[in-house]
Amino acid sequence: MPIFRDDVHFYRVIGEFMNIATRERTWEELRAWWGHHPAYYEQGNELEQINRIGEQIRRSRAAFVFYLTDPEAVISIDARRPTPGEHYEVLFGRGLDQPDVAIVTTGDVAHQFWGGNISVPLALITGKMRVKGSKAKALQLLPRIVPAFPLYRRYLELIDEPALLRALQT
Protein backbone atom coordinates (compact mmCIF):
# COMPACT_ATOMS: atom_id res chain seq x y z
CA MET A 1 0.00 0.00 0.00
CA PRO A 2 1.47 3.39 -0.97
CA ILE A 3 2.57 5.71 1.85
CA PHE A 4 0.56 8.66 0.47
CA ARG A 5 -3.23 8.30 0.46
CA ASP A 6 -3.66 10.26 -2.77
CA ASP A 7 -2.24 13.16 -4.76
CA VAL A 8 -3.76 15.74 -2.40
CA HIS A 9 -1.88 14.15 0.51
CA PHE A 10 1.32 14.05 -1.56
CA TYR A 11 1.04 17.72 -2.54
CA ARG A 12 0.24 18.72 1.05
CA VAL A 13 3.35 16.96 2.33
CA ILE A 14 6.11 16.98 -0.27
CA GLY A 15 4.73 19.80 -2.40
CA GLU A 16 4.40 22.19 0.51
CA PHE A 17 7.82 21.12 1.79
CA MET A 18 9.30 22.12 -1.58
CA ASN A 19 7.53 25.49 -1.28
CA ILE A 20 9.26 26.46 1.98
CA ALA A 21 12.48 27.67 0.34
CA THR A 22 10.87 29.39 -2.66
CA ARG A 23 11.89 32.73 -1.20
CA GLU A 24 13.83 34.17 1.74
CA ARG A 25 12.02 33.16 4.94
CA THR A 26 11.92 34.70 8.41
CA TRP A 27 11.52 33.28 11.92
CA GLU A 28 8.17 35.04 12.07
CA GLU A 29 6.89 33.04 9.11
CA LEU A 30 8.06 29.76 10.62
CA ARG A 31 6.44 30.66 13.94
CA ALA A 32 3.17 31.52 12.16
CA TRP A 33 3.19 28.16 10.36
CA TRP A 34 4.27 25.84 13.17
CA GLY A 35 4.66 27.84 16.39
CA HIS A 36 1.46 26.33 17.83
CA HIS A 37 2.87 22.79 17.60
CA PRO A 38 4.35 21.38 20.82
CA ALA A 39 7.40 20.10 18.89
CA TYR A 40 8.23 23.55 17.52
CA TYR A 41 11.47 25.13 18.64
CA GLU A 42 13.95 27.35 16.87
CA GLN A 43 17.21 25.68 15.94
CA GLY A 44 20.16 27.99 15.50
CA ASN A 45 20.92 27.51 11.81
CA GLU A 46 17.62 26.08 10.54
CA LEU A 47 16.42 29.33 8.98
CA GLU A 48 19.83 29.88 7.39
CA GLN A 49 19.70 26.35 5.93
CA ILE A 50 16.24 26.93 4.44
CA ASN A 51 17.32 30.18 2.83
CA ARG A 52 20.60 28.71 1.58
CA ILE A 53 18.77 25.79 -0.08
CA GLY A 54 16.46 28.22 -1.88
CA GLU A 55 19.39 30.33 -3.03
CA GLN A 56 21.27 27.26 -4.27
CA ILE A 57 18.27 26.09 -6.29
CA ARG A 58 17.89 29.62 -7.71
CA ARG A 59 21.54 29.62 -8.78
CA SER A 60 21.02 26.36 -10.68
CA ARG A 61 18.82 28.29 -13.18
CA ALA A 62 17.32 24.91 -14.01
CA ALA A 63 13.86 23.39 -14.34
CA PHE A 64 12.96 19.99 -12.90
CA VAL A 65 9.75 18.00 -13.24
CA PHE A 66 8.94 15.11 -10.94
CA TYR A 67 6.42 12.63 -12.33
CA LEU A 68 5.07 10.39 -9.61
CA THR A 69 3.15 7.16 -9.56
CA ASP A 70 1.35 5.80 -6.51
CA PRO A 71 -0.13 8.40 -6.28
CA GLU A 72 -0.26 9.95 -9.73
CA ALA A 73 1.15 13.45 -9.25
CA VAL A 74 3.40 16.01 -10.94
CA ILE A 75 5.51 18.64 -9.21
CA SER A 76 7.67 21.08 -11.13
CA ILE A 77 10.44 23.32 -9.84
CA ASP A 78 11.34 26.19 -12.13
CA ALA A 79 14.39 28.30 -11.28
CA ARG A 80 15.04 29.49 -14.83
CA ARG A 81 13.43 32.93 -14.49
CA PRO A 82 12.30 33.53 -10.92
CA THR A 83 10.19 36.59 -10.23
CA PRO A 84 11.84 39.31 -8.10
CA GLY A 85 12.07 38.21 -4.49
CA GLU A 86 11.61 34.54 -5.38
CA HIS A 87 14.22 31.79 -5.61
CA TYR A 88 12.12 29.46 -7.74
CA GLU A 89 8.52 28.49 -8.45
CA VAL A 90 6.81 25.22 -7.50
CA LEU A 91 3.90 24.03 -9.64
CA PHE A 92 1.52 21.26 -8.62
CA GLY A 93 -0.20 19.04 -11.14
CA ARG A 94 1.60 20.16 -14.26
CA GLY A 95 4.92 19.81 -16.01
CA LEU A 96 7.05 22.43 -17.70
CA ASP A 97 7.97 23.01 -21.32
CA GLN A 98 11.46 21.69 -21.96
CA PRO A 99 12.62 21.01 -18.40
CA ASP A 100 16.32 20.37 -17.93
CA VAL A 101 15.48 17.18 -16.07
CA ALA A 102 12.37 15.03 -15.69
CA ILE A 103 12.43 12.43 -12.93
CA VAL A 104 9.96 9.55 -12.80
CA THR A 105 9.52 7.66 -9.54
CA THR A 106 6.93 6.53 -7.02
CA GLY A 107 5.57 8.53 -4.10
CA ASP A 108 7.21 6.05 -1.71
CA VAL A 109 10.65 6.52 -3.29
CA ALA A 110 10.19 10.32 -3.28
CA HIS A 111 9.35 10.15 0.44
CA GLN A 112 12.41 8.02 1.20
CA PHE A 113 14.53 10.37 -0.95
CA TRP A 114 13.48 13.48 1.01
CA GLY A 115 14.05 11.52 4.22
CA GLY A 116 17.67 10.96 3.15
CA ASN A 117 17.28 7.20 2.74
CA ILE A 118 17.83 6.89 -1.02
CA SER A 119 21.13 6.83 -2.87
CA VAL A 120 20.29 8.61 -6.11
CA PRO A 121 23.02 6.96 -8.20
CA LEU A 122 21.85 3.54 -6.98
CA ALA A 123 18.18 4.45 -7.55
CA LEU A 124 19.07 5.43 -11.13
CA ILE A 125 20.94 2.18 -11.72
CA THR A 126 18.15 0.02 -10.25
CA GLY A 127 15.35 1.90 -12.00
CA LYS A 128 13.68 3.21 -8.82
CA MET A 129 14.20 6.64 -10.36
CA ARG A 130 14.28 7.25 -14.08
CA VAL A 131 15.72 10.45 -15.50
CA LYS A 132 14.91 12.07 -18.80
CA GLY A 133 17.24 14.85 -19.78
CA SER A 134 20.59 15.61 -18.26
CA LYS A 135 21.63 13.11 -15.58
CA ALA A 136 24.52 15.46 -14.85
CA LYS A 137 22.05 18.28 -14.04
CA ALA A 138 20.05 15.91 -11.86
CA LEU A 139 23.19 14.96 -9.93
CA GLN A 140 24.20 18.66 -9.69
CA LEU A 141 20.93 19.39 -7.90
CA LEU A 142 21.63 16.76 -5.26
CA PRO A 143 24.27 18.56 -3.16
CA ARG A 144 22.10 21.69 -3.26
CA ILE A 145 19.19 19.90 -1.58
CA VAL A 146 20.94 17.36 0.69
CA PRO A 147 20.72 19.84 3.61
CA ALA A 148 16.92 19.59 3.28
CA PHE A 149 16.86 15.93 4.32
CA PRO A 150 16.95 16.49 8.11
CA LEU A 151 14.55 19.42 7.67
CA TYR A 152 12.05 17.07 5.98
CA ARG A 153 11.94 14.81 9.04
CA ARG A 154 11.38 17.79 11.30
CA TYR A 155 8.72 19.12 8.92
CA LEU A 156 6.83 15.80 9.11
CA GLU A 157 6.74 16.13 12.88
CA LEU A 158 5.48 19.71 12.70
CA ILE A 159 2.65 18.89 10.26
CA ASP A 160 1.54 15.90 12.37
CA GLU A 161 2.50 13.08 10.01
CA PRO A 162 3.78 10.44 12.47
CA ALA A 163 3.09 7.55 10.05
CA LEU A 164 5.28 9.17 7.39
CA LEU A 165 7.99 9.80 9.97
CA ARG A 166 7.86 6.15 11.10
CA ALA A 167 8.10 5.00 7.47
CA LEU A 168 11.50 6.70 7.25
CA GLN A 169 12.77 4.66 10.19
CA THR A 170 11.94 1.24 8.73
Side-chain angles (χ1 to χ4, degrees):
M1 183 169 168
I3 193 80
F4 294 103
R5 294 182 296 274
D6 54 26
D7 62 331
V8 172
H9 186 215
F10 180 81
Y11 292 135
R12 188 180 71 76
V13 175
I14 291 185
E16 291 304 325
F17 178 72
M18 293 173 139
N19 260 327
I20 294 170
T22 55
R23 65 179 179 79
E24 197 80 13
R25 297 297 178 181
T26 66
W27 282 117
E28 290 73 26
E29 287 174 298
L30 300 185
R31 284 184 207 117
W33 289 338
W34 305 306
H36 66 281
H37 195 281
Y40 180 80
Y41 59 91
E42 294 176 9
Q43 272 181 245
N45 68 344
E46 191 172 59
L47 183 63
E48 181 182 317
Q49 284 180 315
I50 291 167
N51 291 330
R52 188 176 322 116
I53 291 164
E55 178 62 24
Q56 291 294 318
I57 292 171
R58 185 187 66 76
R59 286 185 186 164
S60 76
R61 295 285 189 236
F64 302 88
V65 180
F66 300 88
Y67 294 98
L68 283 291
T69 60
D70 295 323
E72 295 291 324
V74 179
I75 294 182
S76 300
I77 295 177
D78 192 348
R80 294 177 291 194
R81 292 172 298 281
T83 58
E86 300 285 323
H87 294 306
Y88 58 91
E89 182 179 16
V90 177
L91 305 167
F92 297 168
R94 65 184 173 110
L96 297 168
D97 291 333
Q98 301 177 345
D100 296 289
V101 179
I103 298 169
V104 180
T105 193
T106 66
D108 289 3
V109 170
H111 175 63
Q112 292 296 325
F113 167 77
W114 284 108
N117 294 343
I118 294 283
S119 161
V120 173
L122 186 59
L124 293 172
I125 291 168
T126 61
K128 287 184 177 183
M129 292 178 138
R130 292 185 317 277
V131 174
K132 297 174 186 172
S134 170
K135 285 185 180 160
K137 279 247 188 196
L139 292 173
Q140 283 177 347
L141 178 65
L142 194 56
R144 297 170 193 262
I145 60 176
V146 164
F149 296 166
L151 297 173
Y152 180 67
R153 291 171 182 264
R154 182 153 148 69
Y155 170 75
L156 292 175
E157 184 178 18
L158 294 171
I159 64 167
D160 288 318
E161 287 286 353
L164 293 178
L165 198 52
R166 279 191 307 277
L168 292 175
Q169 298 163 355
T170 58

